[in-house]
Amino acid sequence: WERQERFVRPHTMPVMSLAATLIDRAIDRKEIIVDSLLRYLATDSVCYRCDASQPRLQEMEVLTWSPLVEWFEERFSTRLRVTSGLSLVEQPKECLHAAQRELERRNAWNLMALEALAAAGRSTVIALATEAGRLDAEGAARAMRLLEAYQADVWGRVEGGRDLDEADLDVRVTSALFVLR
């Protein structure tokens, strides 16, 4: 708040934005955030892989995402369904129930931070792995930007808007981690 001058600029206060969202939306209704996290898990980015026609991307996905899937499966004693292509895969009910039980134990602040991470990366798995310390802020952002990194490798880096997107993601990830810690 000290840095605000004539006008309040919420985009310069990401932690305050997380707090305001929680207070406005769900401070007394944790189930709203839990449901949101379960929806991200049901279509988690790390469960959708490219096919064999893109071997470099496939390698990047295996190196970056497979350890996160393995960690999740060990941590929650369940299996995630991982697929190639764009066909929707339904996650097992026991997987979603295990995650739900664990998420319901968290306070609303931690849930809000987890949801911010999940929204940033379209992945509850990445969010939970980051919360657990399996990924630091840089590693989480790298896992979330995996497809963008691949595109940049193939087609070259586009300056300008991409830099702003990266900076925005970094701020969102570090802000969520600040709340979690």
Side-chain angles (χ1 to χ4, degrees), residues 56-122:
R56 174 68 182 123
L57 178 55
Q58 200 172 43
E59 177 186 3
M60 291 170 71
E61 290 171 340
V62 166
L63 290 173
T64 304
W65 290 346
S66 290
L68 301 176
V69 169
E70 291 166 9
W71 168 83
F72 181 92
E73 291 175 341
E74 183 178 315
R75 169 68 180 80
F76 291 92
S77 301
T78 188
R79 304 284 300 166
L80 285 168
R81 291 190 181 129
V82 177
T83 188
S84 298
L86 299 176
S87 298
L88 186 64
V89 63
E90 189 171 329
Q91 292 301 338
K93 296 282 186 230
E94 59 272 7
C95 174
L96 297 173
H97 291 309
Q100 181 177 5
R101 283 190 303 276
E102 180 67 28
L103 290 168
E104 287 173 344
R105 294 185 192 139
R106 288 171 171 72
N107 67 47
W109 294 99
N110 283 12
L111 287 170
M112 191 74 232
L114 281 172
E115 186 185 38
L117 287 170
R122 296 160 311 282

Side-chain angles (χ1 to χ4, degrees), residues 6-180:
R6 187 171 178 189
F7 299 102
V8 175
R9 296 169 305 170
H11 68 279
T12 65
M13 302 184 298
V15 175
M16 190 280 308
S17 294
L18 279 175
T21 300
L22 175 63
I23 291 166
D24 290 346
R25 188 171 151 222
I27 191 90
D28 296 325
R29 301 208 45 223
K30 290 182 355 179
E31 69 275 4
I32 292 171
I33 305 171
V34 170
D35 288 345
S36 175
L37 286 162
L38 293 174
R39 282 192 305 275
Y40 280 115
L41 181 58
T43 59
D44 205 288
S45 295
V46 302
C47 295
Y48 291 86
R49 310 292 177 89
C50 72
D51 58 28
S53 68
Q54 298 174 303
R56 174 68 182 123
L57 178 55
Q58 200 172 43
E59 177 186 3
M60 291 170 71
E61 290 171 340
V62 166
L63 290 173
T64 304
W65 290 346
S66 290
L68 301 176
V69 169
E70 291 166 9
W71 168 83
F72 181 92
E73 291 175 341
E74 183 178 315
R75 169 68 180 80
F76 291 92
S77 301
T78 188
R79 304 284 300 166
L80 285 168
R81 291 190 181 129
V82 177
T83 188
S84 298
L86 299 176
S87 298
L88 186 64
V89 63
E90 189 171 329
Q91 292 301 338
K93 296 282 186 230
E94 59 272 7
C95 174
L96 297 173
H97 291 309
Q100 181 177 5
R101 283 190 303 276
E102 180 67 28
L103 290 168
E104 287 173 344
R105 294 185 192 139
R106 288 171 171 72
N107 67 47
W109 294 99
N110 283 12
L111 287 170
M112 191 74 232
L114 281 172
E115 186 185 38
L117 287 170
R122 296 160 311 282
S123 173
T124 296
V125 172
I126 292 174
L128 288 167
T130 304
E131 177 197 38
R134 302 292 294 189
L135 297 169
D136 60 11
E138 185 179 321
R142 191 172 34 257
M144 292 173 185
R145 287 197 288 261
L146 184 111
L147 297 175
E148 294 171 30
Y150 172 74
Q151 291 295 328
D153 285 351
V154 171
W155 303 106
R157 186 176 167 84
V158 176
E159 301 301 326
R162 182 171 156 83
D163 295 335
L164 293 174
D165 290 343
E166 286 180 7
D168 178 63
L169 181 62
D170 290 344
V171 167
R172 290 173 24 187
V173 170
T174 56
S175 299
L177 278 173
F178 176 80
V179 172
L180 287 170

